[in-house]
Amino acid sequence: MRILLTGAAGQVGGALRPLLQGRYEVIVPSREQFDLSAPEAITGKLDEFEPDLIVNPAAYTSVDKAENEAALAFLVNGEAPSVMAAWAAGHGVPMVHFSTDYVFDGKSRDLWREDDPTAPLSVYGASKLAGEIAVRSAGGPHLIIRTAWVYAAQGANFMRTMIRIAKERDTLRVVADQFGAPTTAATIASAFTQILEQADSDLSGSFARAKGVLHLTNSGSASWFDFARAIIAGAQSRGVKLKATEVIPIATSDYPTRAARPANSQLHLQRLKEVYGIKTAVWQDALDDELDAYVVQGQRTLHEPL
Ligand SMILES: NC(=O)c1ccc[n+]([C@@H]2O[C@H](COP(=O)([O-])OP(=O)(O)OC[C@H]3O[C@@H](n4cnc5c(N)ncnc54)[C@H](OP(=O)(O)O)[C@@H]3O)[C@@H](O)[C@H]2O)c1
């Protein structure tokens, strides 16, 4: 099977790449070779690559910046997946598209299920929802994987930001009234690889069993404050030298951002378990693994000393 993997330099794409490459033929075009902000070139590229499966974690992911760059966000997150999905449907090629908890408004206290009504609060969320709708309505075999609060030892993410700020400042103030499941890119990549292996050669049947949309995060729940405290404690216990050892809980209203975020981002994982038999690690265990990787990586690089 030949897989086209977009966004291979990103967190999820970067975690998927080595796992997929060990098992399949994988095409990993650079942003220049496959630019999602130029959707008019996509069909020609797909004719050239001739993939048997498209896996699309690439996205415009700057949530706050998107408020001022709506056209670009919709181009990359809505229009480009639409063109890919149309090509995929026309060629009977399955497509896997990554999406987000930010398609929900977060106003319910319940965990969000795949079929719950969407109502994004932000331009980013609306652009990702446009991508979901396009992929679904193209009519080909597809799986939309919604994830949340993604981080990794590499990349721009909350874990690395907390450690960096804690090296610079005496205290950290972190929002304590937004809840979700911190999720490692490694967890997503591992679960997705299992889904592919289980499907064997019947990806369409496998994706149909999940009704084309699946929630995939680490298990458990945390506020950003809980997550920050665990990061700081975990980093310290691994010998990372920090100035800030205290995390102070604040309210969302104390930390205004351009884009509104859902208060409750927790995704229900029942479908993942029932359809694919996958139970993901609790977020605290996944964080331990990622902090270990961060420390090993820090020991290897002069630019990010412990
Ligand atoms: N990060 C989160 O917390 C989070 C939460 C929920 C859902 N998600 C979803 O999960 C997926 C993966 O997220 P991630 O955290 O891995 O994102 P990421 O680290 O920001 O990576 C995004 C990737 O997309 C590429 N990209 C951006 N614009 C592009 C364009 N115009 N043409 C081609 N490639 C482009 C980037 O390329 P460069 O490397 O060249 O910049 C990067 O490789 C996305 O669909 C995202 O919406 C993420």
Side-chain angles (χ1 to χ4, degrees):
M1 178 160 70
R2 182 163 47 231
I3 299 178
L4 170 65
L5 174 65
T6 68
Q11 300 191 90
V12 172
L16 279 168
R17 182 179 182 163
L19 294 191
L20 296 178
Q21 276 178 333
R23 296 167 168 85
Y24 311 98
E25 184 188 342
V26 186
I27 307 165
V28 281
S30 65
R31 186 198 274 243
E32 290 69 34
Q33 290 166 320
F34 198 71
D35 185 353
L36 302 193
S37 66
E40 64 284 355
I42 285 178
T43 303
K45 289 287 182 184
L46 291 172
D47 286 340
E48 191 185 307
F49 296 147
E50 287 189 317
D52 303 309
L53 170 67
I54 298 174
V55 179
N56 182 42
Y60 178 107
T61 55
S62 305
V63 176
D64 288 310
K65 243 171 117 186
E67 296 296 310
N68 296 338
E69 289 188 346
L72 180 59
F74 272 87
L75 202 58
V76 174
N77 294 346
E79 183 60 23
S82 171
V83 176
M84 278 189 256
W87 186 94
H91 290 75
V93 166
M95 174 163 171
V96 177
H97 178 68
F98 284 86
S99 192
T100 172
D101 52 323
Y102 284 15
V103 297
F104 296 116
D105 65 14
K107 288 180 181 154
S108 163
R109 284 166 174 252
D110 299 332
L111 306 190
W112 295 95
R113 291 180 180 271
E114 284 82 351
D115 302 326
D116 282 339
T118 50
L121 301 174
S122 62
V123 168
Y124 167 74
S127 71
K128 293 295 293 182
L129 180 59
E132 288 194 8
I133 292 168
V135 169
R136 198 173 300 125
S137 56
H142 65 273
L143 185 64
I144 293 162
I145 300 180
R146 290 196 194 117
T147 188
W149 294 27
V150 179
Y151 68 103
Q154 302 85 20
N157 58 61
F158 186 82
M159 182 187 89
R160 287 173 53 101
T161 302
M162 285 303 109
I163 294 173
R164 179 173 49 76
I165 296 177
K167 286 177 179 173
E168 297 163 7
R169 298 188 200 159
D170 294 327
T171 52
L172 294 176
R173 291 156 53 81
V174 180
V175 169
D177 56 1
Q178 287 172 26
F179 297 88
T183 300
T184 63
T187 297
I188 298 168
S190 157
F192 177 62
T193 311
Q194 288 177 56
I195 290 171
L196 279 192
E197 279 178 351
Q198 281 180 28
D200 201 8
S201 52
D202 183 19
L203 286 175
S204 308
S206 168
F207 296 172
R209 280 196 292 285
K211 299 185 190 147
V213 56
L214 184 70
H215 288 173
L216 168 53
T217 65
N218 276 117
S219 302
S221 144
S223 67
W224 290 112
F225 164 74
D226 298 328
F227 187 26
R229 260 203 321 195
I231 292 165
I232 298 308
Q236 276 191 310
S237 73
R238 286 167 177 78
V240 180
K241 291 199 177 34
L242 304 176
K243 265 173 93 179
T245 52
E246 202 189 347
V247 185
I248 297 166
I250 60 169
T252 298
S253 53
D254 296 327
Y255 186 74
T257 52
R258 255 182 284 168
R261 266 97 173 148
N264 173 21
S265 265
Q266 300 168 86
L267 302 179
H268 211 302
L269 301 177
Q270 188 177 0
R271 190 173 286 180
L272 180 68
K273 186 149 183 287
E274 282 185 2
V275 176
Y276 297 111
I278 296 173
K279 194 173 177 315
T280 53
V282 291
W283 68 266
Q284 292 93 333
D285 290 349
L287 173 61
D288 276 338
D289 291 345
E290 222 52 43
L291 283 168
D292 288 343
Y294 171 87
V295 168
V296 169
Q297 183 185 287
Q299 284 160 347
R300 285 205 199 110
T301 163
L302 291 173
H303 301 297
E304 183 118 27
L306 294 179

